[in-house]
Structure formats: C-alpha cells, structure tokens
Amino acid sequence: MSYRKAVQLACGLAGGSVALLAAAAVSHSRRKPAGEDRSGSGIPVLQAAQSWAGNTTLVPPSTGQWDSNWDKREPPLIINSRKVDQETGEENLTSQLENYKAKASRHIFLIRHSQYNQNGQNDKERTLTALGREQAELTGQRLVSLGVNYDVLIHSSMTRARETAEIISRYIPGVEKVSCDLLREGAPIQPVPPISHWKPEAVQYHEDGARIEAAFRRYIHRAEAKQEKDSYEIIVCHANVIRYIVCRALQFPPEGWLRMCLNNGSITWLTIRPNGRVSLRTLGDSGFMPPDKLTRS
C-alpha cells in the first residue's frame, strides 16, 4: 500500500478500524508520523492516525496530577540517547533538547456543526436546515472577527459538518479544507453517570471510542519543533467528539463528557503551549448568535 493511499484511507475514503490500522502501520514503517506538511508552514495537515492500536488501554487513567508528557512529545522522550557522544554527551544532549523543543503555540477552534435535518434516513439526507445555514454564517463571521490568520480548516466527513465547513470557508478564503473520517460522530466512552434515553451497544463504544481517541491523538498535541509561529486551526465536527476531546486535553476523566452541552455552531477554543500545557479559552461559545438562532439539536 502506498503512503498517499494509506493517508486517504485514514482521512477521507474509508472509516472504522481497518483504515486506522492501515494508516498506523504505514506511520510505523516510516518511523515518523505519516503526513504531508503545508508548504512553508511546518504544520501537519494530513497525517495518519497515531499508532494507538498496540495499546491495551487507549485512555490513560486519571491520577489527579498533570502529566506534562501527555502527548509523548517532550524532548527527552523523542531523543535517541544512543547517538549522544560519550565524551561530550551532556553538551550534545542539551543541544538536541533545544532542537526538539516546541517554540510555538497551537490554537484549536472546535466548531460544532449547525442545525441539520434529523428526519433524514441516512447521512446524505441529513443536510443543514435553513436555520443551520444561518448559524454557520454567524460562526464564520465570529471567527473572522477574532482577527487571526487561520492555517487550516479540518472537518468531519459527515454531511452536516462538511456543509457547515463550506459556509465558514467563504469567510476565510484561501484556507485549505481537509476532510477526515476520524472526526465523525460516535459514542466515545460510556458516560458516568449513565443516562436512560441513550444507550449504545458495547460494540459501538468499542469501535467509535478507538476512532475518536485516534482523532484526539492525531489533532491535539503541542506544536512540532519546526513550527516557528503560532498556528490557528479550525476543526468542524460533532458534540460528542468535541466534549471528549476537551476532557482528554484537560486531563479530566473522559467519562464525564456527557455532562457538558454545546449549541449548534458554537466555538470551543483550546490553546496548547510549547511546554504542553493546555488551556480552555472558551467552551461552546455561542454568545455571538441572537437568542432566536440558538439550537442544540
């Protein structure tokens, strides 16, 4: 399987565990994350999923303490100590540490899709409603008003997320759009406390949970060392995915994801600093919409 074909499988042409495992295998064989960098930016746009498949436990247990190496990108972990010169090892190690340190912050804007037709029989028929299109327009206007230069617009491959992203993209012309199957809606992990009106089968948690965790590892991490400037990245996806990502990024118990509510078209803003610290700047911000435009369907 070619490298490019594996990337397409992971983020666009195929869903589920088969695509993820194929992408992870290619990533491992190349000894670096599979992907293509946007020219000159140093920001990975297309990469295969992180190699989560070999882990017996996908989600690390919560200890109540901050894990500074949560994304496995702290310099000491990624430096091959065997290459350190034996005579001047300390000096060379210090030099290597500087070369591998992140320098920039990543600002990630997680956008929940707009209102859609819930009566559709399949994903293709679950298109945005007229109100949903208005919501996407308002979200696009809000993103522009923040006055930053966006680097990439990534969206779930589901119809409602794709249509939301297309409307938002009109307000940020020239920003590359990337579709990814990993970001599709699903059941990330059994919520605590449980609720009576939503009870997916265990197999759905098993399959969706692995995929959504792969999306978290793919997109939520500190900047690569070669990234010189802060980046601003938009991800249009779904409420369950966003809530799970927020819990994982803040190292809160992921089982609590369902305790949060997000309006359609709302903006959740995560910032990841070079030292790996994560801050939640907004959660489900929809205050830029008039009250009569707010929905949560």
Side-chain angles (χ1 to χ4, degrees):
M1 177 185 293
S2 71
Y3 160 61
R4 182 173 295 275
K5 183 175 291 185
V7 172
Q8 291 174 334
L9 278 172
C11 289
L13 298 183
S17 301
V18 173
L20 297 179
L21 290 170
V26 172
S27 174
H28 180 73
S29 68
R30 292 174 65 88
R31 298 185 180 179
K32 64 180 181 179
E36 297 180 3
D37 286 350
R38 296 175 64 244
S39 177
S41 70
I43 302 168
V45 172
L46 285 178
Q47 290 183 340
Q50 295 292 328
S51 183
W52 51 268
N55 294 344
T56 55
T57 302
L58 290 179
V59 182
S62 177
T63 64
Q65 298 182 350
W66 182 256
D67 176 10
S68 61
N69 194 31
W70 58 275
D71 60 350
K72 303 298 182 283
R73 281 170 166 79
E74 278 199 336
L77 186 74
I78 56 180
I79 290 177
N80 187 345
S81 60
R82 291 176 296 179
K83 293 184 179 180
V84 176
D85 187 276
Q86 296 300 317
E87 296 181 1
T88 60
E90 184 176 347
E91 180 179 349
N92 284 355
L93 180 58
T94 301
S95 175
Q96 287 191 54
L97 284 171
E98 290 301 316
N99 291 336
Y100 280 95
K101 278 184 178 179
K103 309 173 190 66
S105 295
R106 295 182 65 217
H107 298 272
I108 300 171
F109 298 84
L110 299 161
I111 313 296
R112 189 189 175 195
H113 62 78
S114 300
Q115 186 191 62
Y116 68 101
N117 173 27
Q118 297 187 67
N119 295 321
Q121 297 301 307
N122 51 54
D123 178 64
K124 187 176 181 180
E125 295 179 0
R126 295 178 187 134
T127 57
L128 296 186
T129 64
L131 175 56
R133 290 191 290 273
E134 287 185 62
Q135 292 169 339
E137 298 277 357
L138 292 167
T139 302
Q141 293 168 19
R142 173 59 175 168
L143 290 169
V144 170
S145 74
L146 297 177
V148 300
N149 295 320
Y150 297 100
D151 295 278
V152 65
L153 171 56
I154 305 163
H155 61 84
S156 157
S157 57
M158 297 187 81
T159 299
R160 54 190 182 271
R162 176 178 53 78
E163 291 185 344
T164 301
E166 287 174 352
I167 293 173
I168 291 174
S169 69
R170 299 171 192 166
Y171 291 88
I172 48 175
V175 175
E176 183 177 6
K177 295 197 299 292
V178 178
S179 177
C180 186
D181 278 344
L182 298 181
L183 295 166
R184 294 172 72 88
E185 185 62 299
I189 190 170
Q190 188 168 355
V192 176
I195 58 174
S196 58
H197 61 276
W198 188 70
K199 291 185 176 181
E201 297 291 332
V203 67
Q204 186 175 353
Y205 285 121
H206 179 72
E207 294 179 352
D208 292 352
R211 172 177 55 76
I212 296 170
E213 172 65 17
F216 169 78
R217 299 189 188 193
R218 161 65 183 90
Y219 293 112
I220 311 299
H221 55 79
R222 75 193 76 187
E224 304 292 345
K226 61 187 174 183
Q227 182 177 324
E228 298 290 339
K229 298 180 180 180
D230 290 359
S231 60
Y232 297 86
E233 306 160 51
I234 300 170
I235 299 178
V236 180
C237 54
H238 309 270
N240 294 359
V241 177
I242 293 171
R243 292 181 286 187
Y244 177 82
I245 284 176
V246 168
C247 287
R248 288 284 283 114
L250 298 179
Q251 298 186 22
F252 293 163
E255 295 86 353
W257 64 272
L258 198 49
R259 302 171 202 172
M260 295 177 274
C261 294
L262 301 175
N263 288 335
N264 295 114
S266 61
I267 301 173
T268 295
W269 182 352
L270 285 172
T271 297
I272 307 174
R273 300 299 180 189
N275 61 6
R277 293 185 180 179
V278 181
S279 60
L280 179 63
R281 304 185 69 164
T282 65
L283 174 66
D285 176 28
S286 55
F288 52 88
M289 294 189 188
D292 62 339
K293 303 298 182 184
L294 297 176
T295 61
R296 204 180 295 159
S297 61

